[in-house]
Amino acid sequence: MTLPPPPADTPAAHALALLGERGAGRLPHPGGDLATHLRRVHSQLATWGARPALQLAGLCHAFYGTDSFPTALLPLPRRAELAAVIGEEAEELVYLYASCDRPATYPGLADPEAPFHDRFTGTTTLPSLAARRDFAEISAANELDLAAHDPDFRAAHGPDRLALFTRVSSLLSPAAWADCQAVLAGPLPGSPEGPPPPCGVPSAG
């Protein structure tokens, strides 16, 4: 399935153009390339009813690299360039997502008093509950797309991801939590009873 392009002259369209300029379409990623993955994450968040800024953050969540995807499309000193395209609110969410030291942060993510560890600066912060919810929602959309399009990832990491999202289920929207259970708790993809991809995510086949 080919995702339809966003309307012209919108932040999403401009973000896609910037992704193209920065080479996201040439970086391999499960289910195709990085740009395609990012578009699916954006679509998934829209399906879950995320507000526009959160959808844009999902579309751009890999611009600065992540704890598990080190390739950055823009260096941190150029954050203002991304903010000019998607807005400050969305860009701050992109930074929050990219900056997360996951092994240090995930255990206490749902606890509003637990520190959020910034892997770029080595410092800790206490994000608001709303920011933690946004972070969890982007994380779910990202991880479910990986699970839907990479059977090896689903086999190796599905139980750990399900355990993570179970711990932080209070942060997730009902639609996101339902898809986490449907995709990660069911049989492996490719089996006769394999789970369908989450709503809004096309099948890899």
Side-chain angles (χ1 to χ4, degrees):
M1 178 187 296
T2 301
L3 294 173
D9 199 26
T10 61
H14 295 314
L16 283 174
L18 183 58
L19 284 167
E21 293 172 10
R22 303 305 300 174
R26 299 189 297 272
L27 292 173
H29 202 277
D33 54 61
L34 178 61
T36 302
H37 163 69
L38 294 173
R39 292 190 65 196
R40 291 195 302 259
V41 171
H42 177 259
S43 178
Q44 180 66 83
L45 289 164
T47 298
W48 289 342
R51 69 190 188 282
L54 184 53
Q55 294 178 37
L56 287 169
L59 177 62
C60 299
H61 72 263
F63 255 95
Y64 309 137
T66 72
D67 206 351
S68 61
F69 189 80
T71 301
L73 303 178
L74 274 179
L76 290 177
R78 295 172 62 180
R79 288 180 60 185
E81 295 180 32
L82 182 59
V85 173
I86 65 174
E88 291 185 3
E89 179 188 3
E91 191 280 330
E92 288 174 1
L93 289 174
V94 172
Y95 179 87
L96 182 72
Y97 185 85
S99 71
C100 181
D101 179 336
R102 297 179 182 181
T105 300
Y106 276 0
L109 181 60
D111 179 356
E113 300 303 318
F116 189 100
H117 298 259
D118 186 320
R119 68 188 182 94
F120 296 133
T121 66
T123 60
T124 61
T125 59
L126 290 177
S128 67
L129 178 60
R132 290 174 189 264
R133 290 185 184 278
D134 290 340
F135 178 89
E137 202 83 350
I138 296 172
S139 298
N142 177 66
E143 299 293 340
L144 292 189
D145 186 73
L146 293 175
H149 291 89
D150 186 344
D152 291 337
F153 175 91
R154 165 69 172 83
H157 302 292
D160 288 343
R161 297 306 188 268
L162 179 59
L164 167 65
F165 293 126
T166 299
R167 290 199 308 272
V168 303
S169 59
S170 63
L171 300 177
L172 296 171
S173 66
W177 174 227
D179 276 344
C180 286
Q181 295 172 89
V183 173
L184 298 174
L188 291 174
S191 70
E193 301 298 325
C199 299
V201 177
S203 169

